[in-house]
PDB file of all heavy atoms in Angstrom:
ATOM      1  N   TRP A  30     105.792 248.614  96.946  1.00 76.00           N
ATOM      2  CA  TRP A  30     105.778 250.069  96.919  1.00 76.00           C
ATOM      3  C   TRP A  30     107.153 250.676  96.673  1.00 76.00           C
ATOM      4  O   TRP A  30     107.291 251.896  96.592  1.00 76.00           O
ATOM      5  CB  TRP A  30     105.204 250.605  98.233  1.00 76.00           C
ATOM      6  CG  TRP A  30     103.733 250.393  98.302  1.00 76.00           C
ATOM      7  CD1 TRP A  30     103.079 249.331  98.864  1.00 76.00           C
ATOM      8  CD2 TRP A  30     102.718 251.230  97.776  1.00 76.00           C
ATOM      9  NE1 TRP A  30     101.736 249.465  98.719  1.00 76.00           N
ATOM     10  CE2 TRP A  30     101.476 250.622  98.045  1.00 76.00           C
ATOM     11  CE3 TRP A  30     102.742 252.435  97.078  1.00 76.00           C
ATOM     12  CZ2 TRP A  30     100.270 251.191  97.661  1.00 76.00           C
ATOM     13  CZ3 TRP A  30     101.533 253.001  96.700  1.00 76.00           C
ATOM     14  CH2 TRP A  30     100.322 252.375  96.992  1.00 76.00           C
ATOM     15  N   GLY A  31     108.163 249.841  96.553  1.00 77.00           N
ATOM     16  CA  GLY A  31     109.534 250.311  96.386  1.00 77.00           C
ATOM     17  C   GLY A  31     109.742 251.262  95.217  1.00 77.00           C
ATOM     18  O   GLY A  31     110.298 252.358  95.393  1.00 77.00           O
ATOM     19  N   PRO A  32     109.325 250.886  93.995  1.00 78.00           N
ATOM     20  CA  PRO A  32     109.538 251.803  92.864  1.00 78.00           C
ATOM     21  C   PRO A  32     108.855 253.161  93.051  1.00 78.00           C
ATOM     22  O   PRO A  32     109.438 254.202  92.758  1.00 78.00           O
ATOM     23  CB  PRO A  32     108.937 251.048  91.681  1.00 78.00           C
ATOM     24  CG  PRO A  32     109.005 249.604  92.068  1.00 78.00           C
ATOM     25  CD  PRO A  32     108.791 249.593  93.559  1.00 78.00           C
ATOM     26  N   ALA A  33     107.630 253.151  93.581  1.00 80.00           N
ATOM     27  CA  ALA A  33     106.916 254.417  93.799  1.00 80.00           C
ATOM     28  C   ALA A  33     107.616 255.249  94.873  1.00 80.00           C
ATOM     29  O   ALA A  33     107.790 256.462  94.716  1.00 80.00           O
ATOM     30  CB  ALA A  33     105.467 254.141  94.195  1.00 80.00           C
ATOM     31  N   GLY A  34     108.028 254.611  95.950  1.00 84.00           N
ATOM     32  CA  GLY A  34     108.732 255.323  97.018  1.00 84.00           C
ATOM     33  C   GLY A  34     110.046 255.905  96.542  1.00 84.00           C
ATOM     34  O   GLY A  34     110.405 257.034  96.893  1.00 84.00           O
ATOM     35  N   LEU A  35     110.776 255.150  95.738  1.00 83.00           N
ATOM     36  CA  LEU A  35     112.043 255.630  95.196  1.00 83.00           C
ATOM     37  C   LEU A  35     111.835 256.873  94.330  1.00 83.00           C
ATOM     38  O   LEU A  35     112.599 257.838  94.425  1.00 83.00           O
ATOM     39  CB  LEU A  35     112.716 254.521  94.390  1.00 83.00           C
ATOM     40  CG  LEU A  35     114.091 254.829  93.835  1.00 83.00           C
ATOM     41  CD1 LEU A  35     115.087 255.064  94.962  1.00 83.00           C
ATOM     42  CD2 LEU A  35     114.555 253.683  92.957  1.00 83.00           C
ATOM     43  N   LEU A  36     110.799 256.865  93.513  1.00 84.00           N
ATOM     44  CA  LEU A  36     110.514 258.036  92.677  1.00 84.00           C
ATOM     45  C   LEU A  36     110.140 259.253  93.519  1.00 84.00           C
ATOM     46  O   LEU A  36     110.553 260.372  93.204  1.00 84.00           O
ATOM     47  CB  LEU A  36     109.405 257.713  91.667  1.00 84.00           C
ATOM     48  CG  LEU A  36     109.833 256.832  90.502  1.00 84.00           C
ATOM     49  CD1 LEU A  36     108.623 256.350  89.715  1.00 84.00           C
ATOM     50  CD2 LEU A  36     110.785 257.585  89.582  1.00 84.00           C
ATOM     51  N   LEU A  37     109.372 259.038  94.575  1.00 85.00           N
ATOM     52  CA  LEU A  37     109.015 260.154  95.456  1.00 85.00           C
ATOM     53  C   LEU A  37     110.249 260.732  96.141  1.00 85.00           C
ATOM     54  O   LEU A  37     110.408 261.956  96.224  1.00 85.00           O
ATOM     55  CB  LEU A  37     108.002 259.706  96.506  1.00 85.00           C
ATOM     56  CG  LEU A  37     106.552 259.622  96.062  1.00 85.00           C
ATOM     57  CD1 LEU A  37     105.679 259.075  97.179  1.00 85.00           C
ATOM     58  CD2 LEU A  37     106.045 260.982  95.614  1.00 85.00           C
ATOM     59  N   VAL A  38     111.119 259.864  96.626  1.00 89.00           N
ATOM     60  CA  VAL A  38     112.336 260.331  97.286  1.00 89.00           C
ATOM     61  C   VAL A  38     113.218 261.080  96.295  1.00 89.00           C
ATOM     62  O   VAL A  38     113.748 262.159  96.600  1.00 89.00           O
ATOM     63  CB  VAL A  38     113.096 259.149  97.927  1.00 89.00           C
ATOM     64  CG1 VAL A  38     114.494 259.548  98.366  1.00 89.00           C
ATOM     65  CG2 VAL A  38     112.294 258.593  99.098  1.00 89.00           C
ATOM     66  N   LEU A  39     113.378 260.543  95.100  1.00 87.00           N
ATOM     67  CA  LEU A  39     114.189 261.207  94.077  1.00 87.00           C
ATOM     68  C   LEU A  39     113.612 262.572  93.724  1.00 87.00           C
ATOM     69  O   LEU A  39     114.339 263.562  93.622  1.00 87.00           O
ATOM     70  CB  LEU A  39     114.296 260.330  92.835  1.00 87.00           C
ATOM     71  CG  LEU A  39     115.177 260.849  91.712  1.00 87.00           C
ATOM     72  CD1 LEU A  39     116.600 261.080  92.205  1.00 87.00           C
ATOM     73  CD2 LEU A  39     115.172 259.874  90.558  1.00 87.00           C
ATOM     74  N   GLY A  40     112.298 262.653  93.565  1.00 88.00           N
ATOM     75  CA  GLY A  40     111.658 263.933  93.283  1.00 88.00           C
ATOM     76  C   GLY A  40     111.855 264.930  94.406  1.00 88.00           C
ATOM     77  O   GLY A  40     112.132 266.111  94.170  1.00 88.00           O
ATOM     78  N   ALA A  41     111.749 264.469  95.648  1.00 89.00           N
ATOM     79  CA  ALA A  41     111.950 265.353  96.800  1.00 89.00           C
ATOM     80  C   ALA A  41     113.396 265.846  96.866  1.00 89.00           C
ATOM     81  O   ALA A  41     113.648 267.021  97.165  1.00 89.00           O
ATOM     82  CB  ALA A  41     111.576 264.620  98.086  1.00 89.00           C
ATOM     83  N   LEU A  42     114.342 264.949  96.572  1.00 89.00           N
ATOM     84  CA  LEU A  42     115.751 265.357  96.567  1.00 89.00           C
ATOM     85  C   LEU A  42     116.032 266.398  95.486  1.00 89.00           C
ATOM     86  O   LEU A  42     116.747 267.378  95.728  1.00 89.00           O
ATOM     87  CB  LEU A  42     116.653 264.142  96.378  1.00 89.00           C
ATOM     88  CG  LEU A  42     116.764 263.200  97.568  1.00 89.00           C
ATOM     89  CD1 LEU A  42     117.564 261.957  97.191  1.00 89.00           C
ATOM     90  CD2 LEU A  42     117.388 263.898  98.755  1.00 89.00           C
ATOM     91  N   LEU A  43     115.475 266.191  94.319  1.00 87.00           N
ATOM     92  CA  LEU A  43     115.665 267.167  93.240  1.00 87.00           C
ATOM     93  C   LEU A  43     115.043 268.519  93.595  1.00 87.00           C
ATOM     94  O   LEU A  43     115.595 269.567  93.290  1.00 87.00           O
ATOM     95  CB  LEU A  43     115.095 266.633  91.923  1.00 87.00           C
ATOM     96  CG  LEU A  43     115.891 265.507  91.272  1.00 87.00           C
ATOM     97  CD1 LEU A  43     115.137 264.943  90.079  1.00 87.00           C
ATOM     98  CD2 LEU A  43     117.258 266.005  90.846  1.00 87.00           C
ATOM     99  N   TRP A  44     113.900 268.477  94.240  1.00 87.00           N
ATOM    100  CA  TRP A  44     113.237 269.708  94.666  1.00 87.00           C
ATOM    101  C   TRP A  44     114.091 270.408  95.720  1.00 87.00           C
ATOM    102  O   TRP A  44     114.256 271.628  95.706  1.00 87.00           O
ATOM    103  CB  TRP A  44     111.858 269.374  95.191  1.00 87.00           C
ATOM    104  CG  TRP A  44     111.019 270.554  95.585  1.00 87.00           C
ATOM    105  CD1 TRP A  44     111.171 271.857  95.185  1.00 87.00           C
ATOM    106  CD2 TRP A  44     109.894 270.537  96.441  1.00 87.00           C
ATOM    107  NE1 TRP A  44     110.190 272.648  95.741  1.00 87.00           N
ATOM    108  CE2 TRP A  44     109.385 271.848  96.519  1.00 87.00           C
ATOM    109  CE3 TRP A  44     109.236 269.541  97.142  1.00 87.00           C
ATOM    110  CZ2 TRP A  44     108.278 272.185  97.279  1.00 87.00           C
ATOM    111  CZ3 TRP A  44     108.123 269.869  97.890  1.00 87.00           C
ATOM    112  CH2 TRP A  44     107.659 271.188  97.958  1.00 87.00           C
ATOM    113  N   ALA A  45     114.685 269.618  96.632  1.00 88.00           N
ATOM    114  CA  ALA A  45     115.488 270.194  97.712  1.00 88.00           C
ATOM    115  C   ALA A  45     116.764 270.857  97.207  1.00 88.00           C
ATOM    116  O   ALA A  45     117.248 271.809  97.824  1.00 88.00           O
ATOM    117  CB  ALA A  45     115.842 269.107  98.725  1.00 88.00           C
ATOM    118  N   VAL A  46     117.315 270.393  96.093  1.00 88.00           N
ATOM    119  CA  VAL A  46     118.554 270.997  95.577  1.00 88.00           C
ATOM    120  C   VAL A  46     118.271 272.130  94.606  1.00 88.00           C
ATOM    121  O   VAL A  46     119.152 272.545  93.864  1.00 88.00           O
ATOM    122  CB  VAL A  46     119.479 269.938  94.919  1.00 88.00           C
ATOM    123  CG1 VAL A  46     119.944 268.925  95.931  1.00 88.00           C
ATOM    124  CG2 VAL A  46     118.819 269.279  93.729  1.00 88.00           C
ATOM    125  N   GLY A  47     117.057 272.630  94.619  1.00 82.00           N
ATOM    126  CA  GLY A  47     116.783 273.829  93.854  1.00 82.00           C
ATOM    127  C   GLY A  47     115.958 273.662  92.597  1.00 82.00           C
ATOM    128  O   GLY A  47     115.753 274.620  91.867  1.00 82.00           O
ATOM    129  N   ARG A  48     115.503 272.480  92.339  1.00 77.00           N
ATOM    130  CA  ARG A  48     114.640 272.308  91.175  1.00 77.00           C
ATOM    131  C   ARG A  48     113.238 272.821  91.501  1.00 77.00           C
ATOM    132  O   ARG A  48     112.876 273.024  92.647  1.00 77.00           O
ATOM    133  CB  ARG A  48     114.564 270.835  90.761  1.00 77.00           C
ATOM    134  CG  ARG A  48     115.864 270.204  90.421  1.00 77.00           C
ATOM    135  CD  ARG A  48     116.318 270.644  89.046  1.00 77.00           C
ATOM    136  NE  ARG A  48     117.516 269.888  88.695  1.00 77.00           N
ATOM    137  CZ  ARG A  48     118.572 270.417  88.161  1.00 77.00           C
ATOM    138  NH1 ARG A  48     118.624 271.693  87.917  1.00 77.00           N
ATOM    139  NH2 ARG A  48     119.600 269.676  87.865  1.00 77.00           N
ATOM    140  N   SER A  49     112.453 272.956  90.504  1.00 84.00           N
ATOM    141  CA  SER A  49     111.100 273.479  90.633  1.00 84.00           C
ATOM    142  C   SER A  49     110.187 272.466  91.336  1.00 84.00           C
ATOM    143  O   SER A  49     110.418 271.265  91.319  1.00 84.00           O
ATOM    144  CB  SER A  49     110.577 273.782  89.229  1.00 84.00           C
ATOM    145  OG  SER A  49     109.187 273.811  89.191  1.00 84.00           O
ATOM    146  N   VAL A  50     109.135 272.981  91.926  1.00 85.00           N
ATOM    147  CA  VAL A  50     108.107 272.125  92.516  1.00 85.00           C
ATOM    148  C   VAL A  50     107.459 271.264  91.431  1.00 85.00           C
ATOM    149  O   VAL A  50     106.983 270.164  91.711  1.00 85.00           O
ATOM    150  CB  VAL A  50     107.059 272.959  93.283  1.00 85.00           C
ATOM    151  CG1 VAL A  50     106.211 273.775  92.333  1.00 85.00           C
ATOM    152  CG2 VAL A  50     106.184 272.066  94.137  1.00 85.00           C
ATOM    153  N   PHE A  51     107.487 271.736  90.205  1.00 88.00           N
ATOM    154  CA  PHE A  51     106.915 270.970  89.103  1.00 88.00           C
ATOM    155  C   PHE A  51     107.697 269.685  88.856  1.00 88.00           C
ATOM    156  O   PHE A  51     107.135 268.685  88.439  1.00 88.00           O
ATOM    157  CB  PHE A  51     106.837 271.813  87.835  1.00 88.00           C
ATOM    158  CG  PHE A  51     105.903 272.978  87.984  1.00 88.00           C
ATOM    159  CD1 PHE A  51     106.398 274.273  88.032  1.00 88.00           C
ATOM    160  CD2 PHE A  51     104.541 272.784  88.107  1.00 88.00           C
ATOM    161  CE1 PHE A  51     105.555 275.345  88.197  1.00 88.00           C
ATOM    162  CE2 PHE A  51     103.679 273.851  88.268  1.00 88.00           C
ATOM    163  CZ  PHE A  51     104.183 275.141  88.316  1.00 88.00           C
ATOM    164  N   VAL A  52     108.999 269.705  89.134  1.00 86.00           N
ATOM    165  CA  VAL A  52     109.807 268.485  89.021  1.00 86.00           C
ATOM    166  C   VAL A  52     109.315 267.468  90.038  1.00 86.00           C
ATOM    167  O   VAL A  52     109.118 266.292  89.720  1.00 86.00           O
ATOM    168  CB  VAL A  52     111.307 268.783  89.219  1.00 86.00           C
ATOM    169  CG1 VAL A  52     112.120 267.505  89.303  1.00 86.00           C
ATOM    170  CG2 VAL A  52     111.825 269.671  88.105  1.00 86.00           C
ATOM    171  N   PHE A  53     109.090 267.928  91.267  1.00 88.00           N
ATOM    172  CA  PHE A  53     108.576 267.027  92.298  1.00 88.00           C
ATOM    173  C   PHE A  53     107.208 266.489  91.908  1.00 88.00           C
ATOM    174  O   PHE A  53     106.930 265.296  92.048  1.00 88.00           O
ATOM    175  CB  PHE A  53     108.486 267.717  93.655  1.00 88.00           C
ATOM    176  CG  PHE A  53     107.825 266.862  94.694  1.00 88.00           C
ATOM    177  CD1 PHE A  53     108.494 265.772  95.235  1.00 88.00           C
ATOM    178  CD2 PHE A  53     106.524 267.115  95.104  1.00 88.00           C
ATOM    179  CE1 PHE A  53     107.878 264.954  96.180  1.00 88.00           C
ATOM    180  CE2 PHE A  53     105.905 266.316  96.041  1.00 88.00           C
ATOM    181  CZ  PHE A  53     106.582 265.219  96.586  1.00 88.00           C
ATOM    182  N   LEU A  54     106.336 267.354  91.413  1.00 88.00           N
ATOM    183  CA  LEU A  54     105.003 266.915  91.012  1.00 88.00           C
ATOM    184  C   LEU A  54     105.065 265.900  89.872  1.00 88.00           C
ATOM    185  O   LEU A  54     104.283 264.937  89.842  1.00 88.00           O
ATOM    186  CB  LEU A  54     104.140 268.112  90.626  1.00 88.00           C
ATOM    187  CG  LEU A  54     103.766 269.045  91.769  1.00 88.00           C
ATOM    188  CD1 LEU A  54     102.994 270.246  91.251  1.00 88.00           C
ATOM    189  CD2 LEU A  54     102.984 268.304  92.839  1.00 88.00           C
ATOM    190  N   ALA A  55     105.993 266.086  88.960  1.00 87.00           N
ATOM    191  CA  ALA A  55     106.160 265.131  87.864  1.00 87.00           C
ATOM    192  C   ALA A  55     106.592 263.770  88.410  1.00 87.00           C
ATOM    193  O   ALA A  55     106.071 262.730  87.994  1.00 87.00           O
ATOM    194  CB  ALA A  55     107.177 265.651  86.852  1.00 87.00           C
ATOM    195  N   PHE A  56     107.531 263.780  89.366  1.00 84.00           N
ATOM    196  CA  PHE A  56     107.966 262.519  89.965  1.00 84.00           C
ATOM    197  C   PHE A  56     106.850 261.890  90.787  1.00 84.00           C
ATOM    198  O   PHE A  56     106.707 260.670  90.815  1.00 84.00           O
ATOM    199  CB  PHE A  56     109.221 262.734  90.815  1.00 84.00           C
ATOM    200  CG  PHE A  56     110.491 262.651  90.022  1.00 84.00           C
ATOM    201  CD1 PHE A  56     110.978 263.763  89.354  1.00 84.00           C
ATOM    202  CD2 PHE A  56     111.191 261.467  89.929  1.00 84.00           C
ATOM    203  CE1 PHE A  56     112.140 263.702  88.617  1.00 84.00           C
ATOM    204  CE2 PHE A  56     112.354 261.387  89.187  1.00 84.00           C
ATOM    205  CZ  PHE A  56     112.838 262.504  88.525  1.00 84.00           C
ATOM    206  N   ALA A  57     106.051 262.713  91.470  1.00 87.00           N
ATOM    207  CA  ALA A  57     104.929 262.187  92.251  1.00 87.00           C
ATOM    208  C   ALA A  57     103.888 261.543  91.338  1.00 87.00           C
ATOM    209  O   ALA A  57     103.340 260.484  91.657  1.00 87.00           O
ATOM    210  CB  ALA A  57     104.296 263.305  93.079  1.00 87.00           C
ATOM    211  N   LEU A  58     103.640 262.166  90.195  1.00 84.00           N
ATOM    212  CA  LEU A  58     102.694 261.589  89.236  1.00 84.00           C
ATOM    213  C   LEU A  58     103.216 260.263  88.689  1.00 84.00           C
ATOM    214  O   LEU A  58     102.474 259.286  88.584  1.00 84.00           O
ATOM    215  CB  LEU A  58     102.444 262.579  88.096  1.00 84.00           C
ATOM    216  CG  LEU A  58     101.397 262.183  87.065  1.00 84.00           C
ATOM    217  CD1 LEU A  58     100.033 262.024  87.722  1.00 84.00           C
ATOM    218  CD2 LEU A  58     101.323 263.232  85.977  1.00 84.00           C
ATOM    219  N   LEU A  59     104.498 260.231  88.377  1.00 81.00           N
ATOM    220  CA  LEU A  59     105.111 258.991  87.903  1.00 81.00           C
ATOM    221  C   LEU A  59     105.072 257.920  88.994  1.00 81.00           C
ATOM    222  O   LEU A  59     104.809 256.747  88.719  1.00 81.00           O
ATOM    223  CB  LEU A  59     106.548 259.254  87.455  1.00 81.00           C
ATOM    224  CG  LEU A  59     107.261 258.115  86.756  1.00 81.00           C
ATOM    225  CD1 LEU A  59     106.506 257.661  85.514  1.00 81.00           C
ATOM    226  CD2 LEU A  59     108.668 258.541  86.377  1.00 81.00           C
ATOM    227  N   ALA A  60     105.288 258.315  90.241  1.00 83.00           N
ATOM    228  CA  ALA A  60     105.218 257.373  91.362  1.00 83.00           C
ATOM    229  C   ALA A  60     103.814 256.783  91.473  1.00 83.00           C
ATOM    230  O   ALA A  60     103.654 255.583  91.699  1.00 83.00           O
ATOM    231  CB  ALA A  60     105.616 258.062  92.661  1.00 83.00           C
ATOM    232  N   ALA A  61     102.804 257.614  91.317  1.00 78.00           N
ATOM    233  CA  ALA A  61     101.430 257.112  91.359  1.00 78.00           C
ATOM    234  C   ALA A  61     101.179 256.137  90.214  1.00 78.00           C
ATOM    235  O   ALA A  61     100.489 255.127  90.386  1.00 78.00           O
ATOM    236  CB  ALA A  61     100.441 258.276  91.288  1.00 78.00           C
ATOM    237  N   PHE A  62     101.757 256.427  89.065  1.00 72.00           N
ATOM    238  CA  PHE A  62     101.562 255.569  87.894  1.00 72.00           C
ATOM    239  C   PHE A  62     102.191 254.195  88.085  1.00 72.00           C
ATOM    240  O   PHE A  62     101.641 253.198  87.637  1.00 72.00           O
ATOM    241  CB  PHE A  62     102.124 256.250  86.642  1.00 72.00           C
ATOM    242  CG  PHE A  62     101.870 255.497  85.375  1.00 72.00           C
ATOM    243  CD1 PHE A  62     100.595 255.404  84.860  1.00 72.00           C
ATOM    244  CD2 PHE A  62     102.902 254.873  84.712  1.00 72.00           C
ATOM    245  CE1 PHE A  62     100.349 254.696  83.695  1.00 72.00           C
ATOM    246  CE2 PHE A  62     102.677 254.165  83.553  1.00 72.00           C
ATOM    247  CZ  PHE A  62     101.389 254.080  83.035  1.00 72.00           C
ATOM    248  N   VAL A  63     103.338 254.115  88.763  1.00 71.00           N
ATOM    249  CA  VAL A  63     103.996 252.817  88.951  1.00 71.00           C
ATOM    250  C   VAL A  63     103.557 252.124  90.241  1.00 71.00           C
ATOM    251  O   VAL A  63     103.950 250.987  90.490  1.00 71.00           O
ATOM    252  CB  VAL A  63     105.544 252.922  88.921  1.00 71.00           C
ATOM    253  CG1 VAL A  63     106.016 253.501  87.623  1.00 71.00           C
ATOM    254  CG2 VAL A  63     106.084 253.678  90.106  1.00 71.00           C
ATOM    255  N   SER A  64     102.740 252.765  91.034  1.00 72.00           N
ATOM    256  CA  SER A  64     102.284 252.165  92.285  1.00 72.00           C
ATOM    257  C   SER A  64     101.163 251.159  92.010  1.00 72.00           C
ATOM    258  O   SER A  64     100.554 251.167  90.934  1.00 72.00           O
ATOM    259  CB  SER A  64     101.763 253.252  93.227  1.00 72.00           C
ATOM    260  OG  SER A  64     100.480 253.669  92.830  1.00 72.00           O
ATOM    261  N   PRO A  65     100.873 250.327  92.993  1.00 67.00           N
ATOM    262  CA  PRO A  65      99.757 249.382  92.839  1.00 67.00           C
ATOM    263  C   PRO A  65      98.386 250.054  92.786  1.00 67.00           C
ATOM    264  O   PRO A  65      97.393 249.400  92.492  1.00 67.00           O
ATOM    265  CB  PRO A  65      99.862 248.507  94.093  1.00 67.00           C
ATOM    266  CG  PRO A  65     101.244 248.676  94.594  1.00 67.00           C
ATOM    267  CD  PRO A  65     101.666 250.051  94.178  1.00 67.00           C
TER     268      PRO A  65
END
């Protein structure tokens, strides 16, 4: 689950520094795609 978790954390960090929620959703979708 490491790659998926890393993408979720990165998306959350980007969202926290002022990026759009859509950035987080894009990273979450990518995390789901690389997950088992």
Side-chain angles (χ1 to χ4, degrees):
W30 287 93
L35 184 64
L36 286 169
L37 280 176
V38 168
L39 184 58
L42 288 174
L43 288 173
W44 184 21
V46 296
R48 301 283 186 224
S49 158
V50 69
F51 296 110
V52 172
F53 174 73
L54 292 176
F56 274 85
L58 185 61
L59 188 58
F62 185 70
V63 301
S64 77

